[in-house]
Amino acid sequence: MLNLRAAESLPPLAEDLGQRLADAPADAFTQEWIAVPAAGIKRWLQLELARTLGASEPGANDGVVANIKFAYPATLGQSVLAADPLFIKESGDPWSVDRLAWAVLAALDESSKWSTAATLSELTEGASRYVRARYVADLFDSYSNHRPEMIRAWIEGRNVDGNGSPLDAAMAWQPELWRVTREIVGSPSSPERMP
């Protein structure tokens, strides 16, 4: 079961999580997954939970935080997608950055218009073809993890930014190159596979 909580600051979220985790789970051997955006927040959250979970008294800092998997949102998403039969387990995910870089390289080689994309040229000036492709693969991976709605719009042919506004002409190369790369990869990206 997925529980999603939102708050304007972290302490209320940690308190709510501590209360939820304090209840005995139906299966003591089932690991809890918690999405965290950064390693520092993971460590802070572990310390906060130790004040609640198994502590000798509230706020004692002697509790135990066990059988909890703290993962970045993208890792959590990939774990969920790994259960999907469309996810390619034998050869790995073709949308992993290392593999995606080669698909981007093929897409860049497909047309000379990408070398004239002003912003791409400025950002990767003097870089080798592979370094340029790797930069774009990292960019597309970041978009997939943090702006999946934008990627889904690109799939539909709408050239928008993360807020749904039309892209500036200087950035129009990104959705075009993404669509060519998607065709080369030949399998759905994680934003396409997410409900």
Side-chain angles (χ1 to χ4, degrees):
M1 175 181 9
L2 175 67
N3 285 303
L4 206 56
R5 297 285 180 263
E8 291 187 15
S9 64
L10 290 175
L13 289 173
E15 183 179 336
D16 181 63
L17 180 61
Q19 291 170 356
R20 290 176 180 282
L21 292 175
D23 294 336
D27 180 359
F29 295 105
T30 299
Q31 189 173 44
E32 295 286 346
W33 280 66
I34 300 172
V36 292
I41 292 177
K42 170 190 167 185
R43 184 68 183 135
W44 175 84
L45 186 56
Q46 286 174 317
L47 294 171
E48 285 298 307
L49 291 175
R51 294 176 187 215
T52 307
L53 303 177
S56 59
E57 59 184 55
N61 290 333
D62 62 354
V64 176
V65 179
N67 206 20
I68 296 176
K69 171 81 173 177
F70 292 92
Y72 296 121
T75 304
L76 182 60
Q78 289 299 318
S79 297
V80 170
L81 292 174
D84 184 343
L86 293 175
F87 189 79
I88 302 167
K89 292 181 182 179
E90 296 81 33
S91 60
D93 183 5
W95 289 95
S96 68
V97 176
D98 290 334
R99 295 192 62 200
L100 183 59
W102 294 103
V104 170
L105 185 61
L108 288 170
D109 286 348
E110 204 170 275
S111 173
S112 62
K113 74 177 178 178
W114 309 120
S115 62
T116 61
T119 308
L120 178 60
S121 297
E122 291 168 12
L123 293 172
T124 59
E125 186 176 346
S128 69
R129 289 173 46 250
Y130 178 79
V131 168
R132 183 175 287 196
R134 177 61 191 232
Y135 171 83
V136 172
D138 283 330
L139 189 64
F140 288 168
D141 181 62
S142 178
Y143 290 162
S144 290
N145 292 326
H146 302 288
R147 300 282 187 255
E149 65 286 343
M150 181 178 76
I151 295 293
R152 286 191 285 271
W154 290 2
I155 293 163
E156 297 168 359
R158 294 183 290 123
N159 295 354
V160 298
D161 63 17
N163 295 321
S165 302
L167 273 177
D168 182 82
M171 303 304 276
W173 63 270
Q174 291 185 21
E176 293 175 28
L177 182 58
W178 188 91
R179 287 189 281 269
V180 172
T181 302
R182 166 61 176 85
E183 193 173 308
I184 290 169
V185 171
S187 67
S189 62
S190 58
E192 293 174 84
R193 296 187 311 242
M194 289 286 192

